[in-house]
Amino acid sequence: TQLLEQSPQFLSIQEGENLTVYCNSSSVFSSLQWYRQEPGEGPVLLVTVVTGGEVKKLKRLTFQFGDARKDSSLHITAAQPGDTGLYLCAGKGATNKLIFGTGTLLAVQP
Amino acid sequence: GAGVSQSPRYKVAKRGQDVALRCDPISGHVSLFWYQQALGQGPEFLTYFQNEAQLDKSGLPSDRFFAERPEGSVSTLKIQRTQQEDSAVYLCASSFGPRETQYFGPGTRLLVL
């Protein structure tokens, strides 16, 4: 059973547009991670957020962790075709396993 | 090798067959995880090893699923009497320690007919 809900589930946009992906949970996580997965490959870690209210920037990507450490968002500015992929949030609770979100499939059209 | 490798990359099995999926973790990584990913969904945890010890197998969906890591390096996930609902991508990840970043392999795509 997935504990992390992502929205939207699918997103198709034009190159240059901005977008935001949301990751929501009823549980508190000690940290939350964002991954990007391309077809035929495993997920690749983009960022880890640990502190409530934390904001991290990675080039055109901005990640935010909610104050209560139960939700997070990923904002992409001026999306490019290379941003296409499946975006996954994941929480790591008391155990070491990752609990992944439901995923957001992003397609950026040139 | 530079990263986690998995073999085979693709496996087609007839319903009822047994399959074995292999994971070669990054050298020196003591933690190894197996996940199952349905099409378009996020991966779901199956099991976790610390060296050769299987510390968590709470995600294995049935007793048809079995994993081992006898020498604390290579791991094998075995599925007995495969069913159509077993069709998925099976991902392996390794990390230097249990709380360190997990690095994923490319996965094995299993199709059960």
Side-chain angles (χ1 to χ4, degrees):
Chain A
T1 305
Q2 299 281 18
L3 298 178
L4 289 163
E5 293 288 335
Q6 289 184 235
S7 62
Q9 190 175 2
F10 302 102
L11 195 54
S12 180
I13 61 173
Q14 294 296 122
E15 182 176 0
E17 292 184 12
N18 302 332
L19 67 119
T20 302
V21 177
Y22 299 93
C23 173
N24 295 293
S25 171
S26 57
S27 303
V28 174
F29 288 96
S30 59
S31 66
L32 206 143
Q33 300 179 327
W34 283 93
Y35 291 80
R36 185 165 72 100
Q37 184 178 21
E38 298 188 29
E41 301 295 328
V44 175
L45 180 66
L46 296 174
V47 77
T48 300
V49 286
V50 178
T51 306
E54 183 177 5
V55 177
K56 280 192 174 179
K57 291 190 175 183
L58 185 65
K59 296 183 180 178
R60 294 176 295 100
L61 278 59
T62 301
F63 305 86
Q64 186 162 6
F65 201 12
D67 291 341
R69 292 187 291 138
K70 293 168 65 173
D71 55 85
S72 181
S73 64
L74 158 60
H75 182 78
I76 301 179
T77 303
Q80 299 177 359
D83 295 328
T84 294
L86 179 67
Y87 288 82
L88 297 159
C89 61
K92 188 181 284 189
T95 58
N96 300 313
K97 63 190 176 190
L98 291 171
I99 301 168
F100 282 93
T102 47
T104 295
L105 188 59
L106 171 66
V108 182
Q109 311 296 333
Chain B
V4 178
S5 61
Q6 293 185 245
S7 61
R9 291 294 311 275
Y10 303 92
K11 177 69 179 178
V12 179
K14 292 184 179 179
R15 191 174 58 181
Q17 280 185 333
D18 297 348
V19 298
L21 312 180
R22 177 187 168 106
C23 172
D24 285 81
I26 294 172
S27 178
H29 280 195
V30 299
S31 298
L32 187 146
F33 302 80
W34 283 98
Y35 296 86
Q36 180 190 57
Q37 185 176 26
L39 188 63
Q41 299 293 313
E44 293 196 11
F45 170 79
L46 292 176
T47 187
Y48 160 55
F49 289 87
Q50 182 82 343
N51 294 305
E52 69 277 4
Q54 189 174 21
L55 300 185
D56 187 348
K57 55 181 181 180
S58 62
L60 296 177
S62 78
D63 58 8
R64 296 186 295 104
F65 286 70
F66 172 76
E68 61 182 5
R69 194 186 184 198
E71 298 180 358
S73 179
V74 171
S75 178
T76 303
L77 176 67
K78 298 179 180 179
I79 308 173
Q80 297 178 324
R81 305 181 302 283
T82 53
Q83 304 294 316
Q84 285 187 322
E85 60 263 29
D86 300 335
S87 297
V89 175
Y90 291 85
L91 294 165
C92 175
S94 71
S95 63
F96 199 65
R99 296 190 180 279
E100 303 298 322
T101 298
Q102 294 181 29
Y103 294 89
F104 285 82
T108 294
R109 185 177 298 276
L110 173 65
L111 177 63
V112 182
L113 302 177

